Amino acid sequence: MKDKKKIVKEYKEKIKELKKHNKLYFSDDNPKITDSDYDLIKKEIIDMEKQFPFLEKKSFSSSNIVGSKPSNKFQKIKHLKAMLSLSNAFNINDIVDFLKKVNNFLNTESDFINLFAEPKIDGISASLTYEKGNLIKGLSRGDGVTGEDILENLKTIKSIPLKLKDPKIPNIMEIRCEIFISKKEFSKIKEKFANPRNAAGGSLRQKDPKQTSKIPLEYFAYGFGEINPSIFSKQSEFLNQISKWGFSTNPLSREIKSINDIEKYHSEIDNLRSSLNYDIDGLVLKVNDLNLQKRLGNTSNSPRWAIAYKFSAEKAVTKIKDIIIQVGRTGAITPVAKVEPVTVGGVVVSNATLHNEDEITRKDIRIGDTIEIQRAGDVIPQVLKVDISKRSIKSKKFKFPKNCLCGAVTKKEVSKNTKKEDAVRRCTKGYDCKFIAREKLKHLVSKEALNIDGLGKKVIDQFWALHLIKEPSNIFNLDYKKIKELEGWGDLSVKNLQQAIEKSKNLSLERFIYSIGIRHIGQENAKIIAQFFSSVKEFTKLFQLKYRKKILQSLAELDGIGDTQIQSINNFFSKDQNIRIVSNLISHLNVIDFIVKNSEGKFFNRRLMFTGGFKRMSRSEAKSIAENNGAKVLGSISKKLDILVVGDTKPTKKKIDQAKEFNIRIITEKEWNDILNS
Ligand code: IVH
């Protein structure tokens, strides 16, 4: 056995090493070793302390090292109500469309539904949960369903109340807010971050709250998730009340009573924008009446009762160095301008999208041109216009390549309805084109699909280049030994990746259908289709030609599924290769049957169908109410149908006759309303 002196020496050295890395990490913000290597040193110290108890009595024991680096993982906690995102409007026409949709859904003909408007803060969203007035949880948005426990970091923001005192405080209250760093504070640390939003995010995600407190953060509360009992009837009333309870709310918010008000408020706040001490990127318009908000509900991603009305984007002038093409997962060929790097709204930009061939022809965009670009939010910057006066006399028209990067000839589709040629060129090789295949993989692992943490776009590129992944099923047979040896990978990151992949195997049928990446099948359509099939076994009947035609006929009758979707599904499953790839994928997954949302509602386990228009609500709302009450809504009459609900306006006679033939219960609009009110 080594003598005591030697052991103490070795131990002291390790402690010194740990302290050095603590300093590099905490004070200098400049870590020199990976998390796993750091953990290894720490483990060796703890192991020594266990083996040689006399070490623990030394004043330099590891437990005495202040600021020991905490685990690099925040605990994951589910939100009581999901945190959604917002759909965007860029001009008043988009707003008019939004209002139309609201009116259609509610089936109201009111001139104007009162709105509440707030500045849209460009920060990081967080959720604060109060139980009987005590702040008990503080979560990041995460994937919207599950957030990360950042309570201790949030507590460093002094203006967040820890305790609320008022007998009126609901038992449970999730307050949603946007965390930001003021422009003034940002200017002090601007070398370290690309923009204030990143700085706020970086600060909030510090593993050590002490680090968070070093970058002073602020917040505005703008909404709520779960509230029980629900005591508010308007958004304006809610904000008023929570402001009295001590929350910080935006003083620029106000009620909106007409379309003119919207335009006025939009330009007023846009003019104020540069003088505000925080970044905003638009307005958020919300239906003020909370009862109406409840009726409107959500689509899969965003509430139907709110929209973000963006400000016009930031612009800059630069020069096109080259024009290249990119291939999307649907085969769409997108031209991209490689530009001389320029800062637009605090971000360095070196690429701008040129959309498609027609756009290049229309604007006569050429390599070498001086152009104006604009950047709105997180989207890729666009080319606004060309400054022809700066064009060289030698410049030549850009010849759009007719072939995909894989070499195949690209095609423009002709619309069946309008007989017009599509503006977009496409490669039609599907998985046979390696560029499409790689993009399809990126879609498959994305947040809304398999949602594999640690397997983002860049990692797919890396694994693809090394031939570690060629098609979806390879994700489940990765060569982890090889990955461990790659730059940027270590024991810990590989273990995390393995776990994330394992976790992704359990997914709902709707997520699975979305993941496959059939063109024109987004999340909403995937949900409708999942409801139709109920199980993956039923879904796979689409693989067989003998069933496909009939299934597609039934699918076509579903609300929300049109010719375009049917065509696309047919195209997809007409390729044997797609069937093979999807079948292989299924063999690794546990696809969970479509679950009816509410198992207690008035129509639990009943199959309902609607025909005709309704007076008090739109058909969309009727369907949404039925689903919220546990029903499965069908798109066509079948023997399995339990109830056909017949609206007063123009019901389809054929459907009623068919229902009678099958002895299906038929109820009128009045009876439907009576059941809802009972
Ligand atoms: S209301 C989606 N109001 O914008 C649920 N959001 O793009 C309703 N945001 O995640 C959101 N200021 O983080 C709302 N006054 C405001 C907001 C706001 C900023 C953020 C929020 C949300 C994101 C949606």
Side-chain angles (χ1 to χ4, degrees):
M1 193 181 138
K2 292 183 214 169
D3 66 33
K4 219 170 169 178
K5 247 186 177 171
K6 264 193 179 160
I7 294 166
V8 171
K9 188 168 170 255
E10 194 182 301
Y11 179 71
K12 269 185 173 175
E13 264 162 15
K14 286 197 193 300
I15 293 277
K16 205 171 139 200
E17 174 100 14
L18 190 71
K19 278 185 172 170
K20 183 180 100 189
H21 290 295
N22 269 348
K23 182 174 173 299
L24 282 167
Y25 179 84
F26 287 113
S27 315
D28 309 349
D29 214 2
N30 183 23
K32 289 268 193 273
I33 53 172
T34 63
D35 282 4
S36 47
D37 287 342
Y38 177 95
D39 289 340
L40 204 70
I41 305 177
K42 209 167 145 187
K43 189 175 176 296
E44 284 172 352
I45 293 175
I46 293 168
D47 285 349
M48 282 185 84
E49 286 174 359
K50 273 189 199 149
Q51 201 184 344
F52 311 111
F54 65 87
L55 288 174
E56 271 200 84
K57 294 189 190 78
K58 306 276 173 201
S59 58
F60 42 74
S61 147
S62 70
S63 52
N64 289 334
I65 301 175
V66 189
S68 229
K69 195 171 155 187
S71 130
N72 70 341
K73 262 194 171 173
F74 291 102
Q75 200 198 339
K76 299 241 164 100
I77 301 181
K78 230 177 156 182
H79 297 292
L80 299 176
K81 283 250 166 80
M83 287 180 86
L84 305 170
S85 39
L86 287 169
S87 45
N88 289 325
F90 295 99
N91 51 49
I92 197 70
N93 293 338
D94 295 344
I95 296 294
V96 171
D97 279 351
F98 163 73
L99 294 171
K100 250 190 224 154
K101 275 192 201 149
V102 167
N103 273 322
N104 284 344
F105 191 93
L106 298 171
N107 211 17
T108 50
E109 273 161 31
S110 95
D111 279 346
F112 190 83
I113 288 185
N114 282 354
L115 301 175
F116 194 74
E118 302 158 24
K120 185 169 185 293
I121 316 297
D122 194 9
I124 302 289
S125 48
S127 181
L128 307 164
T129 311
Y130 290 82
E131 197 180 83
K132 298 196 171 73
N134 295 310
L135 176 62
I136 55 151
K137 239 190 287 175
L139 304 180
S140 67
R141 181 180 182 277
D143 63 5
V145 175
T146 307
E148 288 172 321
D149 178 4
I150 51 164
L151 178 63
E152 293 309 316
N153 296 10
L154 287 168
K155 277 185 180 169
T156 65
I157 305 173
K158 292 198 186 62
S159 48
I160 289 183
L162 302 177
K163 200 170 179 61
L164 308 170
K165 284 182 210 122
D166 182 340
K168 272 201 315 216
I169 306 266
N171 269 336
I172 281 284
M173 183 164 70
E174 275 182 317
I175 297 286
R176 302 277 153 86
C177 52
E178 195 78 357
I179 315 283
F180 62 92
I181 176 169
S182 70
K183 287 183 188 167
K184 197 169 152 219
E185 289 295 338
F186 177 69
S187 68
K188 296 182 195 163
I189 52 163
K190 65 169 183 272
E191 311 74 45
K192 285 197 189 162
F193 299 95
N195 54 45
R197 190 172 184 276
N198 284 6
S203 173
L204 262 189
R205 287 189 51 84
Q206 289 294 328
K207 316 289 158 45
D208 178 6
K210 271 196 220 120
Q211 298 303 308
T212 305
S213 67
K214 282 190 189 161
I215 301 180
L217 297 171
E218 295 176 47
Y219 79 100
F220 282 125
Y222 61 72
F224 55 85
E226 173 77 13
I227 289 201
N228 198 352
S230 73
I231 55 169
F232 304 108
S233 61
K234 282 183 179 165
Q235 168 73 3
S236 46
E237 178 203 349
F238 161 75
L239 287 176
N240 237 325
Q241 180 58 261
I242 63 164
S243 155
K244 284 186 190 142
W245 286 339
F247 289 93
S248 148
T249 55
N250 195 308
L252 298 172
S253 308
R254 76 162 70 132
E255 275 184 61
I256 298 278
K257 298 208 160 108
S258 72
I259 280 261
N260 282 346
D261 271 5
I262 300 180
E263 277 300 58
K264 244 171 70 192
Y265 184 64
H266 191 254
S267 58
E268 210 177 286
I269 302 292
D270 200 1
N271 290 335
L272 273 182
R273 191 176 176 191
S274 57
S275 66
L276 296 175
N277 195 19
Y278 47 86
D279 274 338
I280 59 174
D281 57 358
L283 302 180
V284 184
L285 300 170
K286 306 174 179 178
V287 169
N288 198 17
D289 183 325
L290 297 184
N291 245 330
L292 295 183
Q293 281 193 9
K294 204 167 162 196
R295 278 181 62 190
L296 286 157
N298 313 316
T299 65
S300 34
N301 272 328
S302 50
R304 291 192 190 90
W305 45 262
I307 193 155
Y309 187 2
K310 294 293 191 87
F311 294 134
S312 55
E314 315 221 26
K315 300 180 178 110
V317 171
T318 181
K319 222 171 158 181
I320 300 184
K321 293 198 295 192
D322 195 7
I323 296 176
I324 59 156
I325 56 169
Q326 278 178 355
V327 188
R329 71 174 169 92
T330 61
I333 308 287
T334 310
V336 174
K338 295 291 209 187
V339 301
E340 280 174 6
V342 59
T343 310
V344 197
V347 173
V348 179
V349 165
S350 41
N351 291 324
T353 176
L354 297 169
H355 298 293
N356 53 51
E357 187 176 3
D358 288 5
E359 170 95 352
I360 297 188
T361 314
R362 199 170 42 242
K363 292 188 177 155
D364 186 19
I365 299 168
R366 304 178 183 191
I367 296 172
D369 273 352
T370 301
I371 49 163
E372 185 177 41
I373 60 172
Q374 80 167 12
R375 184 182 148 260
D378 285 339
V379 296
I380 312 168
Q382 303 165 291
V383 175
L384 279 183
K385 58 179 179 212
V386 177
D387 184 348
I388 307 228
S389 71
K390 297 224 169 80
R391 181 176 280 170
S392 138
I393 37 167
K394 283 190 212 144
S395 113
K396 285 196 198 104
K397 267 196 187 306
F398 178 72
K399 262 205 202 139
F400 200 89
K402 299 284 182 280
N403 293 67
C404 174
L405 295 173
C406 73
V409 178
T410 54
K411 288 187 191 126
K412 285 186 174 183
E413 287 169 5
V414 178
S415 155
K416 262 197 171 170
N417 297 333
T418 61
K419 304 273 180 278
K420 271 195 187 160
E421 201 179 52
D422 193 0
V424 179
R425 273 192 178 278
R426 285 175 201 279
C427 171
T428 55
K429 292 281 165 197
Y431 275 103
D432 282 335
C433 165
K434 57 184 181 186
F435 299 90
I436 297 182
R438 192 177 56 186
E439 294 310 304
K440 276 180 179 283
L441 283 165
K442 289 179 188 170
H443 168 80
L444 181 72
V445 299
S446 65
K447 223 176 193 181
E448 293 76 19
L450 291 191
N451 189 19
I452 306 180
D453 260 359
L455 192 56
K457 291 182 181 178
K458 282 199 181 130
V459 180
I460 291 284
D461 281 336
Q462 186 187 22
F463 288 1
W464 176 274
L466 296 164
H467 307 291
L468 286 162
I469 297 184
K470 275 196 190 144
E471 57 178 63
S473 59
N474 300 147
I475 294 174
F476 302 96
N477 293 318
L478 282 174
D479 184 347
Y480 290 109
K481 258 197 199 145
K482 212 166 167 184
I483 296 173
K484 228 177 260 181
E485 305 305 318
L486 301 177
E487 188 164 338
W489 290 90
D491 285 346
L492 192 67
S493 45
V494 165
K495 201 174 125 220
N496 287 344
L497 177 65
Q498 250 172 320
Q499 275 172 0
I501 290 176
E502 222 20 69
K503 199 174 129 203
S504 75
K505 288 182 178 172
N506 295 309
L507 81 174
S508 65
L509 181 61
E510 60 206 269
R511 219 174 233 274
F512 166 74
I513 294 173
Y514 174 74
S515 304
I516 312 171
I518 305 172
R519 198 171 150 209
H520 300 299
I521 306 298
Q523 287 174 283
E524 279 299 301
N525 285 330
K527 193 174 144 203
I528 297 171
I529 296 169
Q531 185 170 18
F532 172 84
F533 286 107
S534 283
S535 69
V536 74
K537 191 161 170 241
E538 283 300 306
F539 178 79
T540 52
K541 286 195 177 151
L542 270 174
F543 298 179
Q544 296 175 53
L545 195 59
K546 61 177 179 188
Y547 297 126
R548 197 179 306 142
K549 204 167 160 205
K550 201 151 176 255
I551 295 176
L552 290 178
Q553 271 169 2
S554 307
L555 270 178
E557 289 187 40
L558 299 180
D559 270 346
I561 303 290
D563 276 355
T564 318
Q565 284 76 23
I566 297 297
Q567 270 287 335
S568 178
I569 299 174
N570 193 27
N571 280 348
F572 187 88
F573 289 108
S574 302
K575 287 190 179 143
D576 287 344
Q577 191 186 31
N578 285 340
I579 294 179
R580 178 187 65 76
I581 284 175
V582 175
S583 303
N584 279 347
L585 176 65
I586 291 175
S587 72
H588 293 279
L589 300 176
N590 169 31
V591 183
I592 301 156
D593 288 355
F594 184 85
I595 300 168
V596 174
K597 256 197 274 169
N598 193 338
S599 58
E600 289 168 352
K602 287 176 177 155
F603 304 111
F604 174 55
N605 244 343
R606 308 263 104 176
R607 292 184 177 85
L608 266 69
M609 190 181 146
F610 295 87
T611 177
F614 290 70
K615 286 204 190 85
R616 269 218 240 152
M617 61 187 74
S618 64
R619 206 157 75 198
S620 313
E621 186 178 3
K623 273 176 61 180
S624 143
I625 291 176
E627 280 169 4
N628 288 336
N629 275 288
K632 185 172 172 186
V633 178
L634 303 190
S636 57
I637 303 267
S638 78
K639 280 181 191 149
K640 289 181 189 163
L641 188 68
D642 295 302
I643 304 169
L644 176 69
V645 190
V646 182
D648 285 354
T649 327
K650 293 190 195 154
T652 314
K653 189 172 172 294
K654 194 177 153 208
K655 287 186 178 153
I656 302 175
D657 290 345
Q658 275 178 325
K660 279 183 184 156
E661 206 178 296
F662 289 143
N663 260 334
I664 287 161
R665 184 178 163 203
I666 298 176
I667 63 173
T668 62
E669 185 171 341
K670 183 176 176 303
E671 285 168 307
W672 164 253
N673 288 327
D674 289 346
I675 297 176
L676 297 187
N677 292 330
S678 65

